Amino acid sequence: MPQTQRSVGVVGVGYVGLVTAVCLAHLGHQVVCLDVDEAKIEALRAGRVPIYEPGLDELIAGARDHLSFITSYDELCASCRILFVAVDTPPSPSGDADMSRVDRVVRDVSSRGGERLLVMKSTVPVGTGERVTAELEAAGVTGIGYVSNPEFLREGAAVDDVLHPDRIVIGAYREADGDEVQRLFAAIETTVVRTTVPTAEMIKYASNAFLATKISFINEIANVCEAVGADVRSVADGMGLDHRIGPYFLQAGIGYGGSCFPKDVQALKQLAGNTGYHFQLLNAVIEVNHLQKRRVVGKLQERVGRLRGKRVALLGLTFKPHTDDLREAASIVLAARLHAEGALVSAYDPMVPPGSRVDLFPNVQIATSALEALDGVDAAIVVTEWPEFIELDWNVVRERMRGRHVIDGRNALDAGRLAAAGLSYDGIGTVDDHVVAGEPLTSNEAR
Ligand code: UGA
């Protein structure tokens, strides 16, 4: 094994943990992955990858000799000194991040004694490093170093984001600990930000909160565009050319979802609140995101009138394309809202088979294809911009639907093609919307 290669442990094989582990193995390190979920570990041992992430299966297959999957902390601690912590920190009822899994890992590791370096990949509130190290010290535990190494990967592009990151952030109490973590990523060419632990923790929260702010900002611009006849896509293009603004995360739509932005924006707001600071801007970011989903229902009502008894298809359920993740997906809110208004909801998503996820979609008929979901519906809403929806034959769609209304919640479709097929089209803040002759309904009918 060349000098730079290390034995590294990764605790938690969710999106962040598994992708981090596999990329470290790809870089040549010997990686031991631990998860308390035996079924997940069994699956990984048998070569089945429990999550869908483009490129991950191939990378695992290529790095098999460098990866092992276990459930025992004794085994983990016997073989690894450096331990990445990548367990989830879901929102708790108070709005703070739930740290119980992270704390459990720290307990399980520290109770086994020995010299360790904990590398925190999980998104944890600013101050976690200070708290954990203080608690270890108070318990008389010595020999455990702590480094904050936040993750910036996006689901659906995770492998590329880890192997070609914009930056690597390393916050350490001891220079040597930071050096050790930096060496693990020596093969990756990028800027390395070396800083303190609280600053590294804050970089993560501030980055996610800023990206979420960009999305809510462009969504509000889109809403104003609708009122003044401007097109938000061109507005975003024009804004994005200014290098101080940049073209990214300015895609207007029905708002952000996923396991990160909703949770992290809330957690940062809460964190600020706990210190006595009222983070006013984040309140607006959250509220705009919430209202953006409701606006789509309002648009639909303008087109088809009362929703009671109307059939509506949701195209896409995952929080974004190229993932199977449904956490905080806009589809969950939309499906529930439409059902509450009395609509009959069908849906199709390439990652969500019929009969699955009744917990999230108890009143949704999940179909095996987009066309099946569109059969006999009065209207369709594009919730997730899966490429196959963009490629749909709209003439065939027109024949299958009972009504004609398509609301493109992601501004992903070609409005002209829908018009040519005789379908009515509404985007979010776009100008090429058109309503099929004889419609819309008057505002009285619409409500
Ligand atoms: C996000 C961040 O982008 C990552 O840098 C970060 O590491 C990750 O959270 C995390 O904290 O773990 P992710 O949630 O996987 O990654 O997905 P994004 O691509 O950021 O999309 C989040 C949501 O914003 C999606 O619902 C997406 O549809 C929406 N979005 C994104 C928009 O509505 N408009 C945009 O312009 C961009």
Side-chain angles (χ1 to χ4, degrees):
M1 193 190 280
Q3 283 253 304
T4 49
Q5 294 174 340
R6 299 278 194 290
S7 251
V8 184
V10 176
V11 181
V13 292
Y15 284 92
V16 169
L18 188 57
V19 176
T20 303
V22 173
C23 289
L24 284 167
H26 176 75
L27 295 175
H29 304 294
Q30 213 53 50
V31 185
V32 183
C33 305
L34 178 144
D35 202 292
V36 290
D37 185 336
E38 294 193 6
K40 261 191 194 173
I41 292 296
E42 267 316 310
L44 284 161
R45 279 189 189 140
R48 292 191 307 276
V49 184
I51 54 170
Y52 171 72
E53 187 59 46
L56 191 60
D57 292 30
E58 293 84 334
L59 216 61
I60 292 182
R64 273 247 152 247
D65 298 349
H66 288 259
L67 283 164
S68 54
F69 301 99
I70 61 169
T71 52
S72 151
Y73 273 95
D74 288 332
E75 227 179 299
L76 180 78
C77 292
S79 52
C80 306
R81 197 181 76 76
I82 306 177
L83 298 176
F84 281 81
V85 182
V87 292
D88 54 340
T89 52
S92 70
S94 67
D96 296 290
D98 174 354
M99 295 296 290
S100 57
R101 294 168 182 78
V102 168
D103 292 342
R104 179 81 204 271
V105 176
V106 175
R107 272 201 309 278
D108 281 335
V109 169
S110 60
S111 63
R112 278 159 176 90
E115 295 267 314
R116 309 271 164 233
L117 180 55
L118 288 177
V119 187
M120 192 57 68
K121 270 271 170 221
S122 301
T123 301
V124 294
V126 184
T128 297
E130 303 282 314
R131 177 177 68 77
V132 167
T133 47
E135 283 172 8
L136 288 171
E137 204 183 313
V141 177
T142 53
I144 297 199
Y146 187 103
V147 168
S148 167
N149 174 221
E151 187 45 66
F152 300 100
L153 64 81
R154 290 161 301 166
E155 287 180 23
V159 170
D160 197 50
D161 283 349
V162 173
L163 294 176
H164 307 283
D166 289 339
R167 77 298 207 190
I168 291 174
V169 175
I170 298 174
Y173 293 108
R174 287 191 308 232
E175 185 89 1
D177 290 343
D179 292 346
E180 198 161 3
V181 174
Q182 188 168 345
R183 273 197 298 275
L184 292 174
F185 300 109
I188 294 176
E189 266 183 50
T190 191
T191 306
V192 177
V193 180
R194 292 287 298 268
T195 183
T196 64
V197 169
T199 303
E201 292 168 342
M202 186 52 116
I203 289 172
K204 169 68 189 188
Y205 270 117
S207 300
N208 273 3
F210 185 73
L211 291 170
T213 303
K214 265 187 120 173
I215 298 170
S216 278
F217 179 85
I218 202 68
N219 282 339
E220 290 223 276
I221 293 290
N223 300 342
V224 179
C225 280
E226 284 176 9
V228 299
D231 189 302
V232 73
R233 293 163 301 184
S234 303
V235 171
D237 287 348
M239 287 169 63
L241 287 168
D242 185 327
H243 71 273
R244 294 168 304 173
I245 297 172
Y248 308 106
F249 278 70
L250 288 179
Q251 205 179 314
I254 51 178
Y256 60 77
S259 62
C260 306
F261 286 170
K263 161 179 82 82
D264 294 349
V265 175
Q266 183 64 40
L268 180 54
K269 179 192 136 181
Q270 188 72 23
L271 183 88
N274 294 348
T275 70
Y277 182 75
H278 178 61
F279 204 142
Q280 205 156 330
L281 184 58
L282 291 187
N283 275 329
V285 170
I286 294 166
E287 196 185 347
V288 168
N289 196 53
H290 177 66
L291 292 176
Q292 202 66 5
K293 298 177 191 75
R294 297 186 77 98
R295 269 181 78 86
V296 176
V297 177
K299 264 185 198 206
L300 187 65
Q301 285 167 325
E302 275 170 32
R303 294 297 175 233
V304 303
R306 277 179 200 287
L307 292 177
R308 184 149 304 281
K310 296 278 171 15
R311 306 184 84 88
V312 181
L314 299 180
L315 295 182
L317 294 170
T318 54
F319 85 95
K320 67 174 189 177
H322 312 295
T323 178
D324 56 355
D325 200 337
L326 289 159
R327 285 176 288 179
E328 298 285 331
S331 59
I332 302 169
V333 177
L334 280 178
R337 196 68 236 124
L338 292 171
H339 174 71
E341 295 287 339
L344 305 164
V345 186
S346 57
Y348 168 70
D349 187 290
M351 285 290 155
V352 187
S356 67
R357 302 317 307 259
V358 252
D359 53 330
L360 296 177
F361 305 107
N363 302 299
V364 178
Q365 194 69 39
I366 299 182
T368 54
S369 71
L371 287 179
E372 187 188 313
L374 289 161
D375 249 339
V377 298
D378 297 286
I381 304 175
V382 175
V383 183
T384 318
E385 64 277 35
W386 283 100
E388 66 178 273
F389 302 146
I390 298 160
E391 303 306 326
L392 277 169
D393 182 334
W394 295 103
N395 288 309
V396 176
V397 172
R398 171 75 188 95
E399 280 163 24
R400 302 281 288 255
M401 285 175 65
R402 180 164 80 182
R404 303 172 179 203
H405 299 285
V406 177
I407 297 190
D408 181 1
R410 297 292 176 183
N411 290 347
L413 307 180
D414 180 338
R417 285 181 52 213
L418 272 79
L423 289 162
S424 127
Y425 176 89
D426 284 278
I428 309 291
T430 54
V431 290
D432 45 8
D433 301 0
H434 57 266
V435 180
V436 174
E439 302 172 60
L441 305 169
T442 65
S443 52
N444 279 345
E445 282 173 302
R447 295 290 151 193

